Structure formats: structure tokens, C-alpha cells
Amino acid sequence: MNLEKIEHIGIAVKNLREAEEKFTELFQATPYKREVVESEGVETSFYRIGESKIELLAAINEQSPITKFIEKRGEGIHHMAFDVKNIYQEMERMQERGFQLISPEPKRGADNKLVCFLHPRSANGVLVELCQEIKD
Amino acid sequence: MNLEKIEHIGIAVKNLREAEEKFTELFQATPYKREVVESEGVETSFYRIGESKIELLAAINEQSPITKFIEKRGEGIHHMAFDVKNIYQEMERMQERGFQLISPEPKRGADNKLVCFLHPRSANGVLVELCQEIKD
């Protein structure tokens, strides 16, 4: 198995603080961290659920992909992310198998990861993120 | 933690066989089972990823919630499901905390589970499923 586990599920929300209150009730647990990712125009908040995480994402500017997503579809599940050991190798494999990469190189994402997205049009409408932990 | 893990992520697809080919490439693994759930009007296909599963869902009739979902939003992530130990207790707790249940009693779902859904309007646009394994 090349994709080791569901690393996280990303959920687009309008207001991070209000969404945190709701999800804290749902999970009976508080977020273990918040992080701004300037390059993606988002503020994020993370919960642990078993071996996976739930990432709430709120836009911090109008250009954020989350602004566009919410305008088009409303709040809801935005993407699903899988852990990989070697993101470069997986990106190459995915392209060979007909998946379309959103960017040709991995980017630095939230939570100390190198990340890359597959275009939903090549994966049954699902925005798939591959992520590899950065080992310092 | 009342929600023990992500039990599965449900993905609405138009054609189950074609989607299976795509996700088999993505995961480099084949589905471990297919199952028709007549009560929900769906045929499902399951992959294991770490401690979780990915469930592909295709409508088997026009009345299926998946038919309506795809008409409205296209293919994509449909719901996320969490394992609970006592579904009746969790349903009561969710209602007390302001989450709206889609049905007042759990139903028998795919993969030998008792399941209940929380309405997306009470959970930031996310269709949340609670599920408890049926022990025979």
C-alpha cells in the first residue's frame, strides 16, 4: 500500500472560531493546534481522531481557494489527504496513471508537510492531497 | 474521545466499475468487497487505508440520495463516518449538543453497521455518519 493512511480530512468553514466550537462538541476534544498557511490563504485548526486528523480551513483573504470553494458549494468537506513516504515518487506514479497534478512541485503545507494535490477532475470529483512529513 | 476513528469516507460516483478502476490505480489496491444496500438505493465498494476505509457509492435507482447528490453537486466526497461504541448514547448526546439527526433511530447500513446521520446544516455542511459495528 503506497498510501499509508488517511492523514487528514480538510473541511472548508466560514468562521474558524464558530466551527471550532461546533467540532469541539462533535468530537468532545479541542483542536491541538492552529496554524496560518499564508501561501494558501488559510487559517487552519487541527483535531486528532485515531491515526488521522480533521483540519478545519477558513479563508484569510478573497484569493484563498477556500473563499472560492465556499462561494461555489458552501461549507463542507474540501479534500482528503493521504500520507506517503516519498512524495516525488508518488507524484510521478500518479501522473503515469493518469491523475492530473495541480502543481508540478510539492509545496510546504500546514502541519510540517510537503504537499501536492491531484485535480478533482481526474479523481471522480475528489480533491486528493498527498503529503509527506518533513523530517528536520 | 467518543469518536474512536474515521471509520470511512464515502465518495459519490456515477459508475461504480469505472470509479473502482480509478481508485484501484490511486491506492494500488483492489476493493475488498462490494455490497448493495437496498434501503439506501446504493451499490458500494470498499478499500482499506490504514485503520479506515474508503467507500465508493453509486446509485442503483433514481430515488437514491446519491442520485440527488450527483445531480446537485457532481461526483465527490459525500460523507465522513466515525466509529462509536454505543450509537444510541451518541445519538442522544449529539441531539443535546444541537446536532440534528436525519432519522430518529439508527438504520442497518453497509458493512455490518448500525448507522445514523447528522444533518449537514447542523455540522458546517458536513454529512456526518455515526456507526457502530453489529456484533452477532
Side-chain angles (χ1 to χ4, degrees), chain A residues 62-125:
Chain A
E62 289 295 307
Q63 293 72 47
S64 171
I66 298 302
T67 305
K68 288 164 204 155
F69 180 88
I70 288 179
E71 273 172 12
K72 197 173 163 196
R73 308 190 52 156
E75 294 184 306
I77 300 176
H78 177 259
H79 67 270
M80 61 180 191
F82 298 96
D83 245 0
V84 299
K85 280 200 178 129
N86 183 327
I87 195 165
Y88 294 94
Q89 193 176 307
E90 282 303 317
M91 287 168 70
E92 198 180 320
R93 189 182 72 81
M94 292 299 173
Q95 275 193 303
E96 284 168 9
R97 303 299 173 100
F99 295 96
Q100 186 185 335
L101 305 180
I102 288 186
S103 61
E105 292 291 326
K107 291 184 180 181
R108 191 154 187 140
D111 210 28
N112 202 36
K113 305 278 182 189
L114 276 179
V115 308
C116 171
F117 288 91
L118 309 185
H119 200 291
R121 99 167 61 95
S122 66
N124 294 83

Side-chain angles (χ1 to χ4, degrees), chain B residues 33-87:
Chain B
K33 77 161 164 182
R34 288 186 192 144
E35 185 180 349
V36 170
V37 186
E38 292 284 354
S39 62
E40 294 290 321
V42 292
E43 187 174 14
T44 65
S45 188
F46 285 90
Y47 297 81
R48 289 188 204 282
I49 304 287
E51 70 183 10
S52 305
K53 299 162 193 162
I54 302 294
E55 177 188 30
L56 304 181
L57 299 139
I60 54 171
N61 59 49
E62 289 296 306
Q63 294 73 47
S64 170
I66 298 303
T67 305
K68 289 166 203 153
F69 180 88
I70 288 180
E71 274 171 11
K72 196 173 163 196
R73 309 189 54 155
E75 292 185 307
I77 301 177
H78 178 259
H79 66 271
M80 62 180 190
F82 298 97
D83 244 359
V84 299
K85 279 200 180 130
N86 184 328
I87 195 165

